[in-house]
Amino acid sequence: MNRDPIGIFDSGIGGLTVVKAVREILPGEDIIYLGDTARLPYGTKSTDAIMRFSIEDTQFLVDRGAKYVVIACYSAASVALDIVRERFPVPVIGVIQPGARRAMQMARTGKIGVIGTALTIYSGAYEKAFRDLGARVEILGKPCPLFVPLVEEGWLDHAVTRLVARDYLEPFVKDDIDTLLLGCTHYPLMMKVIKEIMGDINYVDASVEVGAELAQSLKDLKLANPGAAGSTAIYLTDLSVNFKEIGERFLGEPMKNFSRVSLKESH
Ligand code: DGL
């Protein structure tokens, strides 16, 4: 079982940032990645739909032998972590808790800003994560839905992006938060513009934390792969005209070894 792959899924290709972080921390592991590009975005859809999609995504990875599943999509992790854990016999980790843990270590004033898709912010997943950690912090959430298409368009350093970011983030500047959680796969790519507005505060990009927690958990469960050079296989439910260009933006290297797949419907 140690030599089985780690399964990682996201609504699209943004979760490749998590693949990149896991690759760096666990170079010996094989990774199978599923991006549900045919049904992207998840962040604007209902809890019911995203729970169902997450079950189908996990089933795909488990059918291909995943020994561990990582929900790299913040929207899916916000609403479907519990149901996926209940339904499948493999350990599952999401991106919400590791980020919350890191933010708690960093925050000094106890005022934490969280940005994400509408589904993530309105799900209350971060409030729950901080409650579970026993943290007495004030959470200020703000959905920033336009950030996703701006990143996909490659407008990472663009006047329109600055205008949109200012509109979303200015209330945080007034509220004087000292830590900002980037609760969406796409937002770390906008770090330059976000920092221009928010200035010198703490920023949490959970992908690195997820990699570290996964490494520890694999060790604890004796599931770590002793191999030296792991592989990455990328499966996407749709190959749009510019998926490679977008994917490489997240992955930070040429995208190889990808194919289109269909998922089994859960009902
Ligand atoms: N991957 C999603 C997330 O992290 C962003 C894109 C979407 O809405 O599907 O929430």
Side-chain angles (χ1 to χ4, degrees):
M1 195 162 173
N2 296 42
R3 292 191 187 271
D4 288 342
I6 294 167
I8 302 180
F9 81 84
D10 176 39
S11 56
I13 25 206
L16 288 172
T17 45
V18 174
V19 171
K20 191 170 162 228
V22 171
R23 272 261 73 85
E24 274 162 25
I25 299 176
L26 296 163
E29 297 290 340
D30 291 328
I31 296 175
I32 47 174
Y33 177 85
L34 173 67
D36 192 9
T37 41
R39 299 190 287 196
L40 175 99
Y42 279 14
T44 54
K45 297 198 171 76
S46 69
T47 298
D48 277 0
I50 302 312
M51 282 167 122
R52 182 160 47 86
F53 294 173
S54 299
I55 289 168
E56 293 167 6
D57 297 340
T58 308
Q59 187 69 59
F60 175 87
L61 297 170
V62 169
D63 286 348
R64 268 154 197 79
K67 63 180 172 188
Y68 209 114
V69 169
V70 180
I71 307 183
C73 176
Y74 291 74
S75 305
S78 290
V79 298
L81 179 66
D82 291 343
I83 195 159
V84 168
R85 279 189 169 151
E86 270 165 37
R87 295 274 181 108
F88 295 92
V90 294
V92 183
I93 190 176
V95 271
I96 304 295
Q97 286 76 11
R101 244 188 297 279
R102 182 75 187 125
M104 219 180 100
Q105 290 161 358
M106 290 175 123
R108 269 176 299 265
T109 64
K111 266 193 171 184
I112 298 177
V114 181
I115 53 176
T117 65
L119 185 62
T120 299
I121 298 302
Y122 297 132
S123 71
Y126 278 104
E127 284 80 353
K128 182 176 181 306
F130 284 109
R131 256 197 326 271
D132 291 348
L133 289 169
R136 296 229 319 263
V137 288
E138 190 182 344
I139 312 295
L140 295 119
K142 175 82 185 173
C144 303
L146 291 174
F147 284 179
V148 170
L150 286 168
V151 169
E152 302 230 329
E153 190 60 27
W155 287 9
L156 308 180
D157 189 7
H158 191 286
V160 171
T161 307
R162 278 196 179 79
L163 206 65
V164 172
R166 206 163 278 291
D167 206 84
Y168 284 147
L169 301 177
E170 221 121 58
F172 281 147
V173 181
K174 292 197 192 87
D175 279 328
D176 214 17
I177 61 155
D178 84 341
T179 301
L180 183 66
L181 251 159
L182 307 180
C184 175
T185 45
H186 289 54
Y187 300 177
L189 274 76
M190 286 186 51
M191 198 60 129
K192 181 170 184 282
V193 169
I194 293 173
K195 273 191 175 162
E196 276 173 21
I197 298 162
M198 297 302 302
D200 189 21
I201 59 165
N202 301 313
Y203 296 92
V204 179
D205 162 8
S207 56
V208 180
E209 316 304 327
V210 173
E213 273 196 31
L214 177 64
Q216 187 58 47
S217 179
L218 287 171
K219 214 168 134 204
D220 294 345
L221 297 170
K222 304 204 173 6
L223 284 176
N225 191 331
S231 62
T232 304
I234 299 172
Y235 299 99
L236 302 172
T237 53
D238 186 38
L239 303 179
S240 62
V241 275
N242 53 358
F243 82 94
K244 262 190 105 205
E245 185 196 328
I246 301 173
E248 286 168 6
R249 204 169 289 145
F250 288 102
L251 198 57
E253 60 181 65
M255 223 165 117
K256 292 173 280 192
N257 201 11
F258 54 84
S259 45
R260 196 193 69 79
V261 291
S262 300
L263 302 180
K264 279 189 227 136
E265 284 192 24
S266 54
H267 59 84

